[in-house]
Amino acid sequence: MVVCEWQVFFTRRRLPRPRVNAPPLPTGGNLDAWLDDHDVLDGSPYLLDPTGHYDVELNRYFLGYLSAAPADTQRACAYDLKRFLAFLWDNRGGCSWRQATSEDRAAYQRWRLVDPRGPRVEPTTWDREVATVNQFYLWAVHHGLVAVNPIVARDSRSRHLKGFGGGRLTPAESSHQGSRRDVRWLPPQTYRRWRDVGVRGFGADGLPDASFRGRYASRNATFADLLIRTGLRLSEQTSLSVFEVPERVGGIQHARMWLPRAIAKCGSARGVYIPASVLADVWDYVEIERAQAVEQARDQGVYDRLHDPLVVEDRRRPVVMISGQRVRVDALDHGERRRLLIRTADGLQPAALWLTEHGLPSAPSGWQQVFKDANRRCAQHGVAIDCSPHMLRHSFAVITLEQLWRGHLQELAQMVPAQRETYQMVFGDPLNWVRIRLGHRSAQTTQIYLHTLQELEMETRMALVPDGWEPVEAHPDDLARGDDQLRPV
């Protein structure tokens, strides 16, 4: 293997076999058995240095301490740590992570934040990166792999932050600007314009564009609508199965869906409320577009060729057999759900809700591309709106919190103190309600949206109050009367 820089890789079973077993391969070349023996899950990250060397002690961090973290967290940590190690190698004379000092860390901070030749990342990005490196070195010090942590730390004032070994230390080099970051979100009307032009293929005039050739506009629009109306993360929504989708019930404005712990980030299982109109669109997709994709894939024998599937034999009892044990579908993680099939009278079909045009479970990367294509189409039609899946999560939070606060304050204004106390005990705090819907562990995380609401309120007030700075012109009637006050244009 020829490697010229630090690389991040991810473990995967059932890889194609090389024709010749090189020395690094396990005896007999049975990689899957080696992964099984060492309890390494598929998708676990590992790093190779520029010489192609696998550092056993370094990669123990991913196989041990970090192995229980969500897949997205593991991936982000691997790339953040890789950037620091690459800086040491390329700019600090091939320095090893075992030799790194606080001076090396300071040089890395200058390069990441202020060096004209560096990337000059946002303070919030630096905060995440330095926290990742700090956590790695806390682990390394604990296991005796290094003597000193190069990241200078201080006691944390947060009640929710716990470092390795239960400590409460936080990097002193953090920018401390995370909670004040700008939240990008779309008001409902702006979102609908982005969706109609970018996803549904309308023109800038709001009318259908006859030249649009998107084949899956209805599915993609429904996916985006579900994101902005529920606040789900992209990984959470992509891993939904048909077992989670509520049935349509007349007369109910919001149907409650339970998001299982296995696919909720950080295990934040919670109730999710789907507006009736969006739920109707989801079921239309299931019964039309999704059914067509399943039928086509079934006719081509796609599901019969899948390796090691997990099959639900009776959809009324959503369980599968794994290693001779019954496991409920709601306990399956993201990877296992991609292998999940349901046996029906017509044959096998995936349990995943969102499928590709080939009838297989979609992936977050595919949906990221859908959003990029939509942004590109908006730009081509002169619509200056861009959007990402996480922006829709922010939009849900800001819009929902604003609506709840408005109704909350209107109710309280009409009550005497005793009634207000009872009302708050019954209905609680709007911020906490949004926190639960988003799956945040701490209300401090949700508070970033309060700052957005404060700015929104101030922008509204500024628009209504004349500032006296704009030029004014005399109206002919005023001049005829000899008025001294000039009327604004």
Side-chain angles (χ1 to χ4, degrees):
M1 177 183 294
V2 178
V3 180
C4 58
E5 60 181 11
W6 280 91
Q7 296 282 350
V8 179
F9 295 94
F10 300 89
T11 56
R12 182 161 65 89
R13 288 167 173 77
R14 300 183 295 277
L15 287 170
R17 301 300 309 158
R19 294 182 180 180
V20 179
N21 284 341
L25 293 176
T27 303
N30 192 346
L31 289 172
D32 291 359
W34 187 90
L35 294 173
D36 292 339
D37 292 342
H38 290 79
D39 295 324
V40 180
L41 301 177
D42 278 358
S44 299
Y46 61 94
L47 301 177
L48 296 183
D49 70 19
T51 67
H53 177 252
Y54 179 93
D55 190 323
V56 175
E57 291 182 337
L58 168 66
N59 286 292
R60 274 175 52 198
Y61 180 63
F62 301 108
L63 300 180
Y65 172 68
L66 206 64
S67 61
D72 289 346
T73 300
Q74 294 187 46
R75 178 181 294 270
C77 288
Y79 281 104
D80 284 347
L81 188 57
K82 170 209 165 183
R83 278 185 280 270
F84 179 68
L85 300 180
F87 175 82
L88 295 178
W89 186 282
D90 297 334
N91 300 283
R92 308 296 285 181
C95 178
S96 164
W97 60 272
R98 297 175 179 84
Q99 303 166 328
T101 65
S102 58
E103 288 78 13
D104 295 321
R105 190 278 315 152
Y108 182 61
Q109 183 178 12
R110 289 194 300 273
W111 179 67
R112 293 294 285 171
L113 291 176
V114 299
D115 193 326
R117 297 165 297 178
R120 289 197 263 195
V121 299
E122 292 293 328
T124 50
T125 300
W126 167 254
D127 288 348
R128 189 199 68 232
E129 292 176 348
V130 73
T132 297
V133 176
N134 178 62
Q135 197 69 13
F136 166 74
Y137 275 103
L138 289 175
W139 170 85
V141 170
H142 179 81
H143 287 276
L145 303 179
V146 296
V148 179
N149 181 359
I151 306 299
V152 179
R154 63 170 177 80
D155 290 332
S156 172
R157 293 185 295 271
S158 172
R159 296 175 301 169
H160 305 280
L161 180 64
K162 288 187 178 181
F164 188 83
R168 293 175 59 186
L169 296 177
T170 188
E173 294 89 349
S174 295
S175 69
H176 313 299
Q177 297 183 21
S179 61
R180 295 189 294 274
R181 68 180 183 271
D182 187 27
V183 174
R184 297 188 62 207
W185 65 286
L186 299 179
Q189 185 174 0
T190 306
Y191 162 72
R192 288 192 292 267
R193 182 162 174 76
W194 172 85
R195 179 201 62 190
D196 291 346
V197 175
V199 179
R200 299 176 64 190
F202 285 28
D205 56 3
L207 300 176
D209 182 357
S211 65
F212 180 64
R213 294 293 179 266
R215 297 174 54 194
Y216 307 100
S218 178
R219 177 201 65 180
N220 297 345
T222 301
F223 186 91
D225 285 348
L226 187 62
L227 277 178
I228 197 172
R229 298 301 298 276
T230 62
L232 285 169
R233 297 178 176 89
L234 178 62
S235 61
E236 295 170 339
Q237 180 160 310
T238 306
S239 291
L240 291 177
S241 76
V242 293
F243 296 110
E244 276 89 46
V245 182
E247 295 291 337
R248 285 180 283 195
V249 179
I252 297 180
Q253 292 185 345
H254 291 82
R256 188 174 186 270
M257 176 188 75
W258 184 253
L259 184 69
R261 179 180 182 276
I263 61 172
K265 185 175 180 179
C266 299
S268 56
R270 60 193 185 274
V272 176
Y273 292 87
I274 306 177
S277 60
V278 177
L279 182 60
D281 290 340
V282 170
W283 275 112
D284 286 345
Y285 153 72
V286 169
E287 295 168 354
I288 301 175
E289 288 186 77
R290 185 182 182 280
Q292 292 173 351
V294 168
E295 183 179 2
Q296 182 177 354
R298 187 185 289 141
D299 292 342
Q300 296 173 354
V302 172
Y303 307 131
D304 296 325
R305 296 194 299 268
L306 293 180
H307 181 76
D308 195 22
L310 300 174
V311 181
V312 175
E313 298 293 344
D314 184 354
R315 65 183 310 156
R316 295 170 300 182
R317 300 180 60 213
V319 297
V320 295
M321 298 298 297
I322 300 180
S323 300
Q325 296 183 344
R326 292 181 179 272
V327 179
R328 300 191 317 274
V329 166
D330 60 10
L332 301 179
D333 61 23
H334 299 280
E336 291 168 330
R337 283 172 172 244
R338 296 184 61 82
R339 299 158 47 200
L340 187 61
L341 300 175
I342 305 172
R343 194 178 303 281
T344 70
D346 298 322
L348 294 172
Q349 68 165 281
L353 172 61
W354 302 103
L355 304 181
T356 67
E357 56 269 30
H358 304 296
L360 293 172
S362 61
S365 58
W367 290 110
Q368 293 280 13
Q369 188 60 49
V370 168
F371 278 71
K372 291 178 182 178
D373 293 341
N375 293 337
R376 189 179 304 112
R377 176 176 169 77
C378 284
Q380 291 171 349
H381 284 72
V383 177
I385 307 173
D386 66 276
C387 182
S388 68
H390 208 68
M391 277 181 65
L392 298 188
R393 178 171 163 84
H394 287 323
S395 302
F396 165 82
V398 173
I399 295 168
T400 303
L401 191 55
E402 194 276 337
Q403 291 173 337
L404 288 176
W405 271 118
R406 181 184 301 175
H408 196 72
L409 294 176
Q410 287 175 348
E411 293 290 340
L412 292 177
Q414 302 173 11
M415 299 178 185
V416 299
Q419 291 174 321
R420 291 174 189 164
E421 182 177 357
T422 302
Y423 179 87
Q424 290 180 315
M425 290 177 60
V426 173
F427 293 101
D429 179 5
L431 182 67
N432 190 55
W433 194 92
V434 173
R435 177 192 70 80
I436 296 172
R437 300 288 77 76
L438 293 175
H440 289 160
R441 287 182 292 181
S442 168
Q444 291 180 344
T445 306
T446 319
Q447 284 175 352
I448 62 172
Y449 302 113
L450 291 180
H451 177 65
T452 302
L453 290 182
Q454 291 167 357
E455 287 193 349
L456 183 63
E457 180 182 12
M458 189 56 64
E459 289 173 2
T460 302
R461 291 181 177 179
M462 291 174 65
L464 295 176
V465 178
D467 54 23
W469 287 96
E470 296 300 320
V472 294
E473 294 181 2
H475 192 275
D477 294 340
D478 297 332
L479 295 177
R481 291 194 303 267
D483 291 346
D484 292 330
Q485 295 298 324
L486 297 182
R487 181 179 301 174
V489 177

